[in-house]
Amino acid sequence: MPLNMIGAAGVSLAVAGIFVWDSLTPLGYAVSMLYPIPLLLTVWLGSQRFAMAIGLTAMALTLVGWWLSPGGSESQALFNRSLTVVLVGICLGLVRRTIRDRAALGQVAEERSTAARRLEALVTSRTQELERSEEKFRRLLECAPDAIVVVDREGRIVFASAQTEQLIGSGLRELVGMPADRLVREDQRDVFLADCKAMAEGESFGSGERRDIWLRRADGREIPVEATVRLLRAADEPLLSIAMRDISERRRVAEREALLSAIIDNVPDMIFIKDANDLRFVLLNRAGEQLVGYSRERLIGTTDFDHFPKWQAEHFVAHDRAVLRDKQLCDIAEERIQTRFRGERILHTKKVPILDETGEPRFLLGISEDITDRKGVEEALRLRTEMFTNAFECAAIGKALVSPDGRWLQVNQALCDLVGYSRHEMLQLTFQDITHPDDLEADLDLVARMLSGEIRTYQMEKRYVHQTGRLVWVLLSVSLVRDRDGSPFFFIAQIQDITASKHAEHALRESQRRLQLSLENSKQGLWDWNVQTGGVVMDRGWASIHGYRLAELPDHVSAWQQTICPEDRPLVEAALTNHLAGITAFYDVEYRAVTKTGKRIWVNARGKVQERDEQGQPLRMMGTVQDVTSRKMVEEALRQSEERLRLVIAASGMGMWDFNMTTGLAVWNQETCLMLGYDPQNHSAHYDLWESRIHPDDRERVLAAIRQAERDDILFTEEHRIRRADNAHIRWLAPFGRFVRDESGDRTGRFVGVFVDVTNRKETEETLRAMQRRLVRLVRKREQLSRDLHDSTIQSLFSIGLGLSECRELMKARRGEAGKILARQIQHLKQVIHEVRGYIEPAGRLAGVGGPIAGQLRRLAEEFSQGRRCSIEVACTPNLDERLSPSQVQHLIHIAREAISNAVRHSGGRRCLVSLSEGDGEIHLTVDDDGTGFHTESHDHRGHGLRNMAVRAEELGSKVELLAKPSGGCRVFLRVPCTEASAS
């Protein structure tokens, strides 16, 4: 707790204590001496915070004690009260002093607050000015074309402009604080660091000095920049300001200018430029100096009249003026010039004006080619060309000149005849266009090697594609002609037709390849036998077949004889003897041989005597041996399989056929003969015989299916009828056949398959279809009976039920009326019984229904309105029975009955109107009621009655229209077409 608060509390307690004591005890000097205590405390606390509050409290207590304090001596009381007054005065003084001090303190605080606000406003103003200045400086730097960085004493970047970010490709945050030497190429970093050090030591640096340095970008690229270095001082701290400008484009321009100057100087033709005003030379290249014999220093600034004869100078000037006037290129094919050292030369000159921004000529550019030597060569070249042309055109083989890119430059007639194109067509093509794709890559590779100088000539065999599409084999010999500077000029091609020899060579290679493949794939071996000496040469195939290595076999015929199975040796010797004696043209025998391991194999040996002496005795015999063990095993398995298949087909009763569609010959089994009605022993199988047995109604369909099976390679399964040989019986056959193809997928003409007699199945299917049709008729009759019962009998029974219910109510009150109703219902019930009997005897059902349709409608109205609160009225146009058939009348009566029944039973209406009229050639039936109605879209109202009405309307060729809504009644409307047919 603060000290002033403690003092205030003490003074208050002291004054209160003294006051209480003075009030309760006899007054005396002892009490009077206590009053100075609060006085002293009040003085001591006068300058404290709560002095005013304490003084007021003490004064209030003293005044109260003055007026309320009891007895004592008057003088003593007077003294005490006087002392109290003094104390009050002192307190008032202290209070005044406190108020004044507080006012002074408040004024000082106000002045201090005002000064603080002024200081804050000044700081804010200075800050805003500083920010505006900084923003102006930043914008100034952004508008500057150069990138600016500021480097401190340690060589670190302390500031970077926005252009620096674009130039270096790095963010400003990354740049600030980074060593500046990292922006400089490595070979220039030492110089850069030395400059920073010189700045730090205060040495003279050269403010505004410009240097070209290489700047390293963030992506690693190095670009040339022009750096302007200035020394700055900020707060006595030296800083280095570097303004950098990208000079890449300047360098490229300088390089291009140097390159252009070098190109102009190295062009072999004379290039000169004249001023458009006075036609003085302003540029001349080195070739021009050599041609005219004057140096460019002597020639520049002069005119043609200073160096050439007058007539010649006038000739030059006239052409120059014409070019400048027309502002177009001038091509001078030949013009003569008198040179200083080389005499008269012939030039081919082109002159063109160089225009300024306004389109006016500023300079004249001329390019002159010295063609003097070329003109001398042209005559000699003409003679040589004529000789070459004659040799070129009259050559017996194809010759051509071809450009380095493959275009035919010149071709002779022999080449045109070889490939089938005219000379004009050939010159529009390239050799790539007529070269076979498989030979093009090798040809282009040789062309590339020749163009690179790796080879001088090449020769190859290749194929051209003739204009007709056939291939032409040629022997191509090519050499390359280069121009003076060694550049490829054109190819010389000599083309010889070798198609015939290539075909012969290909046939020979193909024969050799087939022989080699056949020997390898068929496991054959070769042998060569000297019949006179008995020596024999066998290859690895022969040795491999018999299980030997070639080195293990002796070179004598006995080695072969030992491998023959003893049981087959007589057969082999007999075949060999017959061939050696010339009885058989070839030696061909199959026998069993014994291998090295003792295994028996089947081999086929074939051979022929190749040489005989003058007496016809055999000298040399060659042949092959082939392992046919697998074939023998397959033949045996096939024989057994065919036997099993024959037994299976015979047991299943299927007929099998094998037709040769080319010759018409056929092979079929006994079952097929029996199906067709032929005697297996007394007939000749043929495709035409089978085709003639096909039923005429099925023949076109069957033949089309056979053609489709052959075309699409699918199974033939077209069931059809056949007429047996006696023409008295027809059988149904189900075929399963396919056309046979060879291993390569080509057609062989064979058509094989089997027949299955499905006559019984077809008869069963026909019986089932007849039963199904009968079942459908019975179902339809049942549906018709159901509708008739619902629309007539059930409705009548319902009406009888209603009448009996009403009769039961009247039995007690009105017996006479009830008896009449009962009699009517009995009569009605007899009518129902008659109708039911009509359904049992259909012939009498319609006969029992009689009378005009108007009368039948009125009877319905009476039947449903008797004893009920619903009034049923009938309105019918006369003589409508002549326009309707009995069946139409019956359907209309049933529909009307159902509509009236629904109106009486369900709608609860008081009035029902039945109308039958004719209009527009139609009979209109309308039943209206004023009942409750219903929603026609609701399925709850789609009962048997409405469905029966819809079915009967369809049979009448019409449609029932329902117009109904809740609480709005219902209308049933029907239009029945009235035609002459219905009337009849």
Side-chain angles (χ1 to χ4, degrees), residues 329-346:
L329 171 69
C330 178
D331 189 347
I332 305 171
E334 292 184 13
E335 66 175 356
R336 299 181 179 276
I337 182 174
Q338 192 68 33
T339 65
R340 183 178 181 186
F341 301 115
R342 301 177 63 183
E344 187 179 70
R345 308 295 294 178
I346 303 175

Side-chain angles (χ1 to χ4, degrees), residues 943-973:
H944 293 285
L946 293 180
R947 286 198 297 270
N948 290 345
M949 291 169 64
V951 172
R952 291 185 183 278
E954 290 180 1
E955 293 181 359
L956 291 172
S958 181
K959 180 179 179 182
V960 174
E961 299 180 14
L962 291 177
L963 304 175
K965 59 182 179 179
S967 302
C970 176
R971 165 175 286 189
V972 177
F973 182 71

Side-chain angles (χ1 to χ4, degrees), residues 440-703:
L440 184 58
E441 183 177 357
D443 198 357
L444 293 176
D445 181 63
L446 292 172
V447 169
R449 293 175 60 190
M450 180 176 287
L451 291 174
S452 64
E454 183 178 349
I455 57 176
R456 297 182 60 188
T457 63
Y458 74 86
Q459 188 178 75
M460 68 173 295
E461 294 179 354
K462 61 181 287 187
R463 289 165 290 182
Y464 283 142
V465 181
H466 194 271
Q467 187 183 29
T468 61
R470 64 183 178 89
L471 298 181
V472 180
W473 275 97
V474 299
L475 176 62
L476 175 66
S477 300
V478 181
S479 60
L480 177 63
V481 177
R482 297 180 180 272
D483 56 17
R484 294 178 181 178
D485 58 358
S487 300
F489 194 13
F490 58 85
F491 295 107
I492 300 176
Q494 300 185 55
I495 304 158
Q496 183 177 357
D497 187 359
I498 59 171
T499 304
S501 61
K502 289 298 291 185
H503 286 171
E505 180 183 345
H506 175 72
L508 179 60
R509 283 200 306 268
E510 188 65 20
S511 177
Q512 294 175 347
R513 187 181 67 85
R514 283 197 299 267
L515 176 61
Q516 184 65 27
L517 290 176
S518 63
L519 291 175
E520 293 177 357
N521 296 331
S522 61
K523 298 182 179 180
Q524 292 187 8
L526 293 175
W527 50 268
D528 188 352
W529 178 28
N530 190 325
V531 182
Q532 297 296 324
T533 64
V536 66
V537 178
M538 307 170 188
D539 68 348
R540 284 192 298 270
W542 196 100
S544 176
I545 290 173
H546 294 82
Y548 293 94
R549 294 195 301 271
L550 188 60
E552 295 176 346
L553 294 174
D555 54 355
H556 196 267
V557 70
S558 59
W560 163 58
Q561 295 172 345
Q562 293 175 0
T563 61
I564 303 174
C565 185
E567 293 85 349
D568 297 341
R569 190 167 295 169
L571 175 66
V572 176
E573 291 177 352
L576 182 60
T577 301
N578 290 336
H579 179 64
L580 293 177
I583 300 175
T584 58
F586 294 94
Y587 164 67
D588 189 353
V589 63
E590 290 185 356
Y591 63 91
R592 288 168 293 177
V594 181
T595 64
K596 179 181 178 180
T597 61
K599 178 182 177 181
R600 292 192 175 191
I601 60 174
W602 279 92
V603 296
N604 174 249
R606 295 182 179 182
K608 185 179 181 181
V609 174
Q610 303 294 328
E611 297 180 13
R612 294 180 183 270
D613 60 11
E614 296 178 354
Q615 290 76 29
Q617 296 298 318
L619 298 177
R620 184 182 180 188
M621 183 176 179
M622 297 179 63
T624 63
V625 61
Q626 181 180 11
D627 185 356
V628 294
T629 306
S630 300
R631 178 170 61 81
K632 284 290 186 179
M633 295 174 64
V634 171
E635 289 176 353
E636 179 62 22
L638 182 60
R639 186 188 64 78
Q640 297 177 4
S641 175
E642 289 178 350
E643 180 63 21
R644 288 193 296 269
L645 180 61
R646 186 186 65 79
L647 294 175
V648 169
I649 293 176
S652 63
M654 291 190 299
M656 184 272 294
W657 84 84
D658 186 349
F659 295 143
N660 188 321
M661 303 300 287
T662 303
T663 63
L665 297 178
V667 177
W668 53 49
N669 63 350
Q670 181 177 351
E671 284 72 14
T672 302
C673 294
L674 296 177
M675 289 179 185
L676 298 176
Y678 292 106
D679 184 359
Q681 306 299 331
N682 298 322
H683 87 288
S684 178
H686 198 276
Y687 172 79
D688 294 337
L689 180 62
W690 168 75
E691 183 178 329
S692 66
R693 292 294 93 200
I694 301 175
H695 194 282
D697 295 341
D698 299 344
R699 183 171 298 152
E700 187 61 33
R701 174 171 53 86
V702 173
L703 296 181

Side-chain angles (χ1 to χ4, degrees), residues 19 21 226 268 283 360 408 454 465 469 471 527 567 582 586 624 627 774 820 979:
F19 178 77
W21 196 1
E226 179 186 74
L283 183 142
E360 295 299 324
W408 300 101
E454 183 178 349
V465 181
L471 298 181
W527 50 268
E567 293 85 349
F586 294 94
T624 63
D627 185 356
R774 182 181 176 188
K820 294 179 182 180
T979 62

Side-chain angles (χ1 to χ4, degrees), residues 39 158 210 253 275 313 464 466 527 563-564 578 809 887 940:
L39 176 62
V158 298
R210 295 185 178 181
V253 171
D275 188 277
Y464 283 142
H466 194 271
W527 50 268
T563 61
I564 303 174
N578 290 336
E809 297 295 332
S887 62
D940 297 339

